[in-house]
Amino acid sequence: MQQALLPVDIDAFLAKRVLGQADLLRRISVSLYKHIHGLPAPNVLLVGNSGTGKTTLMQAIVDLYDTYDDLMRFRVMVIVNANTLSAEVEGEDRTTRLFRKLEARARVLFGSALSARELSDYLENATVCVDEVDKISGRVSEKANVAGITTQYALLTLLEGERFLYRTTVVEDGREVEAELALDTGKLLFICGGAFEELYDQVYTLVVNRRDDRRLKEVSEVERRPDGSVSVRTVTRFKLRDYLRLADLFAYGMMPQFISRFGSIAMLDDLGKDELRQIFLSAPNSPLRLCLEYFRHMGIELRLTQEAATAIAEAAAKNSRIGARALREIFNGLIAPHEYDPFHSPLMCQTDQGPVLALDLETVTQYLTRMD
């Protein structure tokens, strides 16, 4: 194992791909370090609004495993939606179905001619990311959700680190044979995430109505005016991370046995305008980069002023419930008519370097005003 790959190195790798979640990345880096060194690794539960980076983080972990040759045996990783595990399939329980996905991934990466020992090693050292885990809540609209409870129990079997007998086909002595693998699920690393959208309102209502000992905290904010004067005001801020308790997750519908199997519960921060601006300008899958390539394909250069980029990020920051997805919603709406017929767009101009479509602050402001 490459000794130089310490938690700080893992953190540095992930931080290039996931913006604005420093505390989360430190926790994940420690779990990943323990996992790849065969130490008991805490499973991680991610709680955060849509668009704060849960799926981006999961993909960044895939990139980590793919980048370092020493991590080859850990490359079997699947990202599944919790809902895909909800319904039973005739003749196949949920746990078997999950291992089928892991096995399929292993055979894509390492070929079909795997021995029992090789396949067991790949499966036992896999990373399982379960997205939208909040959708398997045991309660829906104040009523018991049997499918959600059953799915939590199925995942609980794996999270508890039990031996699981898994039947499959392997290659021994050059021929395919059926085998029953006794898999140690305690080696698996689970990273589960969900928006838990109603959790914010649930906890806020408890705090505001003083239904327990939690109280809203007041903070002082200093405002410096252009004329040099300073004003101080007292405001009340509510951030879920400051008030969340395990009991809130239980009330939400997550079983205590299920939640207790996560060694780390990490809250994702809502992205501010600075992080959103950086994502907009730099992320590989940002709507701006995709649009730049679209116009480049037509021989058009898309130019965006710094002020326009900042205005888009500020508008997206106001939509904290959807985070980075707000960038796509705002920018795609802004650019859509110009994508359809760019050569007749009022933003088009001819330069010595060729046709240029220019987006400035005024254009963005006019669009945002119409949106309001």
Side-chain angles (χ1 to χ4, degrees):
M1 181 57 60
Q2 183 171 330
Q3 296 299 319
L5 197 62
L6 297 170
V8 292
D9 303 308
I10 298 173
D11 178 52
F13 182 95
L14 299 177
K16 293 178 181 178
R17 294 157 175 79
V18 182
L19 301 176
Q21 304 293 352
D23 178 66
L24 164 67
L25 295 185
R26 285 193 290 268
R27 295 190 189 201
I28 289 288
S29 298
V30 171
S31 284
L32 289 172
Y33 178 86
K34 291 178 178 179
H35 178 60
I36 63 182
H37 286 273
L39 303 172
N43 298 310
V44 182
L45 177 63
L46 309 176
V47 178
N49 283 329
S50 177
T52 50
K54 296 184 294 295
T55 305
T56 301
L57 169 63
M58 294 173 185
Q59 187 56 53
I61 296 172
V62 173
D63 294 342
L64 175 75
Y65 291 147
D66 287 345
T67 298
Y68 292 92
D69 291 339
D70 287 347
L71 302 184
M72 182 177 294
R73 65 194 291 245
F74 301 96
R75 287 180 181 170
V76 175
M77 175 172 168
V78 294
I79 302 174
V80 299
N81 188 293
N83 281 326
T84 66
L85 301 174
S86 293
E88 286 284 4
V89 175
E90 186 176 354
E92 184 175 87
D93 60 46
R94 293 169 173 83
T95 306
T96 299
R97 197 186 323 161
L98 182 57
F99 273 111
R100 292 281 181 229
K101 293 179 180 293
L102 290 171
E103 180 184 1
R105 181 61 180 161
R107 294 188 184 280
V108 168
L109 291 171
F110 304 110
S112 57
L114 296 175
S115 66
R117 181 177 179 179
E118 290 171 330
L119 184 56
S120 294
D121 187 58
Y122 290 137
L123 296 184
E124 289 181 336
N125 288 288
T127 299
V128 179
C129 294
V130 183
D131 202 6
E132 296 195 3
V133 73
D134 51 317
K135 300 300 189 293
I136 58 170
S137 166
R139 296 174 61 191
V140 175
S141 299
E142 302 301 322
K143 296 181 181 179
N145 177 24
V146 177
I149 294 171
T150 306
T151 304
Q152 286 187 54
Y153 271 117
L155 286 172
L156 184 60
T157 301
L158 299 172
L159 292 166
E160 287 179 332
E162 298 180 357
R163 287 276 176 178
F164 179 73
L165 295 179
Y166 178 64
R167 295 194 62 83
T168 187
T169 301
V170 297
V171 174
E172 299 292 351
D173 299 324
R175 60 190 182 88
E176 288 190 355
V177 296
E178 288 192 358
E180 192 170 63
L181 309 180
L183 301 175
D184 181 4
T185 64
K187 295 182 180 180
L188 292 167
L189 176 62
F190 279 84
I191 300 174
C192 301
F196 292 87
E197 292 175 354
E198 297 176 6
L199 189 61
Y200 181 100
D201 295 332
Q202 171 190 316
V203 176
Y204 181 76
T205 299
L206 284 173
V207 176
V208 170
N209 293 329
R210 301 192 172 194
R211 294 179 181 172
D212 56 26
D213 61 329
R214 287 173 286 186
R215 299 291 181 267
L216 286 175
K217 303 170 185 176
E218 294 184 342
V219 297
S220 296
E221 289 189 350
V222 178
E223 181 182 357
R224 300 185 183 277
R225 300 190 181 96
D227 62 4
S229 60
V230 176
S231 66
V232 180
R233 60 175 181 168
T234 301
V235 296
T236 302
R237 301 288 188 197
F238 179 84
K239 287 188 176 181
L240 184 58
R241 68 158 57 246
D242 296 332
Y243 298 90
L244 183 67
R245 295 176 177 175
L246 288 180
D248 299 320
L249 290 168
F250 304 156
Y252 186 88
M254 310 310 291
M255 298 188 307
Q257 309 96 303
F258 181 76
I259 294 297
S260 66
R261 294 304 182 271
F262 292 91
S264 181
I265 298 178
M267 294 287 303
L268 283 83
D269 293 318
D270 290 340
L271 300 175
K273 67 176 182 180
D274 293 336
E275 292 87 4
L276 288 167
R277 187 178 186 279
Q278 189 175 352
I279 290 171
F280 182 56
L281 296 175
S282 307
N285 62 342
S286 81
L288 175 60
R289 287 206 167 192
L290 297 175
C291 196
L292 286 168
E293 183 59 33
Y294 173 79
F295 284 116
R296 190 178 297 118
H297 186 76
M298 295 183 177
I300 300 170
E301 179 187 354
L302 175 64
R303 291 181 184 174
L304 182 75
T305 67
Q306 295 296 318
E307 295 79 8
T310 299
I312 291 171
E314 288 176 343
K318 296 177 182 177
N319 294 275
S320 60
R321 290 297 182 95
I322 58 175
R325 288 185 173 88
L327 289 172
R328 184 174 294 108
E329 179 181 319
I330 292 169
F331 184 72
N332 286 351
L334 168 66
I335 202 67
H338 310 289
E339 285 184 318
Y340 175 70
D341 190 9
F343 291 99
H344 292 91
S345 166
L347 306 180
M348 177 66 73
C349 61
Q350 292 294 331
T351 70
D352 294 339
Q353 291 76 36
V356 171
L357 192 73
L359 285 175
D360 57 15
L361 177 59
E362 181 181 358
T363 302
V364 173
T365 301
Q366 289 176 352
Y367 173 74
L368 294 174
T369 300
R370 291 198 302 272
M371 282 184 61
D372 294 337

